[in-house]
Structures are given as structure tokens and as C-alpha cells.
Amino acid sequence: QVQVVESGGGLVQAGGSLRLSCTVSGLTFGGYAMGWFRQAPGKEREGVSCITRNGDTSYYTDSVKGRFTISRDNAKNTLYLQMNSLKPEDTAMYYCAAHRDSWRFRIFDASDVGYWGQGTQVTVSS
């Protein structure tokens, strides 16, 4: 059984930083493209960032470019999202996601996701 567990969310002031972590079990972590999504109240879930299986290529939505960094440690089965210069508009539930297929290059959108975490709340105060 695949388990995806996020941690690291919390309340932070604007301009602050947080690092999210996501530990995956039940699949060969290094064989899967991974990503982070977020969903704010009343809004649709959006892709934030994704990373290829070996971590050599990453992608970001425009609103977080230059502020967020995705990374992974395949030896530890863990995905990270370093979030700097946080803004109130970054407030959302953040979800870790694994591609449904082990051999795919990257996650393009939510339809590619086979495994979701339960989410971790990030709240940025102004």
C-alpha cells in the first residue's frame, strides 16, 4: 500500500520561509516523477512545482519562480519544497503527489497523479 505523508506546514509571516517534506512508502520512490500542488479555499487545485525521477529537471508555476525550490532525496524516499519570501497569496493546503506511472518523465497536471498525500496547511500572514 502506497503512503504519501507531508509535513512542515505552519503559520509564518510574509517574507518568511518554510520547508515542506514528503515521505513516500510502498513504491520505488526513485522511479516516479513527483510534484507539489496547492489548493486555497474556494479555488481549484493548482500545480506548484514538479521534478523528474532523478531530480535533474524541475518546473515551477510562474507565481513561485525564484522563491520556491523543489528537490528530492531518493535514498531517503523524500521530496522537499523550500519556500522563501512567502506571500499571503501562498496560503493554501499543499499536497505532495506521485505520478501514476513509474516511467513517466514529469507530472503535467493533476490528471497525471496516481498518489496524493493528505496535505499540509501553509498560512502566510500579512
PDB file of all heavy atoms in Angstrom, residues 2 15 17 29 52 68 75 80 82 88 93 119:
ATOM      1  N   VAL A   2       0.582   2.158  -0.907  1.00  0.00           N
ATOM      2  CA  VAL A   2       1.373   3.379  -1.022  1.00  0.00           C
ATOM      3  C   VAL A   2       0.905   4.406   0.008  1.00  0.00           C
ATOM      4  O   VAL A   2      -0.281   4.638   0.171  1.00  0.00           O
ATOM      5  CB  VAL A   2       1.250   3.980  -2.431  1.00  0.00           C
ATOM      6  CG1 VAL A   2       2.022   5.289  -2.532  1.00  0.00           C
ATOM      7  CG2 VAL A   2       1.760   2.985  -3.481  1.00  0.00           C
ATOM      8  N   GLY A  15       7.213  37.148   3.921  1.00  0.00           N
ATOM      9  CA  GLY A  15       8.654  37.266   3.822  1.00  0.00           C
ATOM     10  C   GLY A  15       9.421  36.132   4.456  1.00  0.00           C
ATOM     11  O   GLY A  15      10.638  36.018   4.259  1.00  0.00           O
ATOM     12  N   SER A  17      10.032  31.901   5.616  1.00  0.00           N
ATOM     13  CA  SER A  17      10.335  30.676   4.880  1.00  0.00           C
ATOM     14  C   SER A  17       9.759  29.462   5.598  1.00  0.00           C
ATOM     15  O   SER A  17       9.600  29.461   6.824  1.00  0.00           O
ATOM     16  CB  SER A  17      11.855  30.498   4.752  1.00  0.00           C
ATOM     17  OG  SER A  17      12.438  31.549   4.018  1.00  0.00           O
ATOM     18  N   PHE A  29      10.468   4.870  -4.881  1.00  0.00           N
ATOM     19  CA  PHE A  29      10.384   6.327  -4.966  1.00  0.00           C
ATOM     20  C   PHE A  29      11.178   6.895  -6.133  1.00  0.00           C
ATOM     21  O   PHE A  29      10.694   7.754  -6.866  1.00  0.00           O
ATOM     22  CB  PHE A  29      10.879   6.920  -3.637  1.00  0.00           C
ATOM     23  CG  PHE A  29      10.835   8.421  -3.576  1.00  0.00           C
ATOM     24  CD1 PHE A  29       9.631   9.078  -3.421  1.00  0.00           C
ATOM     25  CD2 PHE A  29      12.009   9.168  -3.673  1.00  0.00           C
ATOM     26  CE1 PHE A  29       9.586  10.458  -3.353  1.00  0.00           C
ATOM     27  CE2 PHE A  29      11.974  10.551  -3.607  1.00  0.00           C
ATOM     28  CZ  PHE A  29      10.760  11.191  -3.447  1.00  0.00           C
ATOM     29  N   THR A  52      11.664  15.630 -11.998  1.00  0.00           N
ATOM     30  CA  THR A  52      11.821  14.349 -12.671  1.00  0.00           C
ATOM     31  C   THR A  52      12.344  13.278 -11.724  1.00  0.00           C
ATOM     32  O   THR A  52      12.730  13.562 -10.595  1.00  0.00           O
ATOM     33  CB  THR A  52      12.760  14.505 -13.868  1.00  0.00           C
ATOM     34  OG1 THR A  52      13.978  15.142 -13.428  1.00  0.00           O
ATOM     35  CG2 THR A  52      12.118  15.368 -14.939  1.00  0.00           C
ATOM     36  N   PHE A  68      10.544  29.464  -4.671  1.00  0.00           N
ATOM     37  CA  PHE A  68      10.405  28.080  -4.226  1.00  0.00           C
ATOM     38  C   PHE A  68      11.445  27.206  -4.931  1.00  0.00           C
ATOM     39  O   PHE A  68      11.767  27.438  -6.098  1.00  0.00           O
ATOM     40  CB  PHE A  68       9.017  27.519  -4.550  1.00  0.00           C
ATOM     41  CG  PHE A  68       7.885  28.111  -3.745  1.00  0.00           C
ATOM     42  CD1 PHE A  68       8.054  29.231  -2.936  1.00  0.00           C
ATOM     43  CD2 PHE A  68       6.627  27.534  -3.808  1.00  0.00           C
ATOM     44  CE1 PHE A  68       7.006  29.761  -2.204  1.00  0.00           C
ATOM     45  CE2 PHE A  68       5.568  28.039  -3.087  1.00  0.00           C
ATOM     46  CZ  PHE A  68       5.748  29.161  -2.296  1.00  0.00           C
ATOM     47  N   ALA A  75      17.430   8.377  -1.839  1.00  0.00           N
ATOM     48  CA  ALA A  75      17.904   7.442  -0.819  1.00  0.00           C
ATOM     49  C   ALA A  75      17.024   7.473   0.425  1.00  0.00           C
ATOM     50  O   ALA A  75      16.947   6.494   1.168  1.00  0.00           O
ATOM     51  CB  ALA A  75      19.343   7.757  -0.454  1.00  0.00           C
ATOM     52  N   TYR A  80      11.050  17.412  -1.200  1.00  0.00           N
ATOM     53  CA  TYR A  80      11.067  18.660  -0.437  1.00  0.00           C
ATOM     54  C   TYR A  80      10.535  19.825  -1.274  1.00  0.00           C
ATOM     55  O   TYR A  80      10.587  19.803  -2.499  1.00  0.00           O
ATOM     56  CB  TYR A  80      12.500  19.006   0.000  1.00  0.00           C
ATOM     57  CG  TYR A  80      13.176  17.941   0.809  1.00  0.00           C
ATOM     58  CD1 TYR A  80      14.072  17.052   0.222  1.00  0.00           C
ATOM     59  CD2 TYR A  80      12.931  17.809   2.175  1.00  0.00           C
ATOM     60  CE1 TYR A  80      14.707  16.067   0.957  1.00  0.00           C
ATOM     61  CE2 TYR A  80      13.552  16.834   2.918  1.00  0.00           C
ATOM     62  CZ  TYR A  80      14.436  15.963   2.300  1.00  0.00           C
ATOM     63  OH  TYR A  80      15.065  14.990   3.050  1.00  0.00           O
ATOM     64  N   GLN A  82      11.278  23.889  -0.642  1.00  0.00           N
ATOM     65  CA  GLN A  82      11.769  25.034   0.118  1.00  0.00           C
ATOM     66  C   GLN A  82      11.043  26.279  -0.376  1.00  0.00           C
ATOM     67  O   GLN A  82      11.102  26.603  -1.564  1.00  0.00           O
ATOM     68  CB  GLN A  82      13.278  25.191  -0.065  1.00  0.00           C
ATOM     69  CG  GLN A  82      13.871  26.384   0.650  1.00  0.00           C
ATOM     70  CD  GLN A  82      13.805  26.261   2.159  1.00  0.00           C
ATOM     71  OE1 GLN A  82      14.077  25.203   2.717  1.00  0.00           O
ATOM     72  NE2 GLN A  82      13.425  27.347   2.832  1.00  0.00           N
ATOM     73  N   PRO A  88       1.166  36.323   1.357  1.00  0.00           N
ATOM     74  CA  PRO A  88      -0.166  35.877   1.797  1.00  0.00           C
ATOM     75  C   PRO A  88      -0.896  35.044   0.744  1.00  0.00           C
ATOM     76  O   PRO A  88      -1.643  34.120   1.099  1.00  0.00           O
ATOM     77  CB  PRO A  88      -0.890  37.199   2.069  1.00  0.00           C
ATOM     78  CG  PRO A  88       0.197  38.131   2.475  1.00  0.00           C
ATOM     79  CD  PRO A  88       1.370  37.753   1.607  1.00  0.00           C
ATOM     80  N   MET A  93      -3.587  24.742   1.261  1.00  0.00           N
ATOM     81  CA  MET A  93      -3.203  23.376   1.635  1.00  0.00           C
ATOM     82  C   MET A  93      -2.269  22.875   0.539  1.00  0.00           C
ATOM     83  O   MET A  93      -2.596  22.973  -0.652  1.00  0.00           O
ATOM     84  CB  MET A  93      -4.440  22.496   1.735  1.00  0.00           C
ATOM     85  CG  MET A  93      -4.149  21.103   2.259  1.00  0.00           C
ATOM     86  SD  MET A  93      -3.778  21.098   4.026  1.00  0.00           S
ATOM     87  CE  MET A  93      -5.442  21.231   4.695  1.00  0.00           C
ATOM     88  N   GLY A 119      -2.104  16.316   2.704  1.00  0.00           N
ATOM     89  CA  GLY A 119      -1.957  17.765   2.677  1.00  0.00           C
ATOM     90  C   GLY A 119      -1.381  18.319   3.962  1.00  0.00           C
ATOM     91  O   GLY A 119      -1.546  17.739   5.042  1.00  0.00           O
TER      92      GLY A 119
END
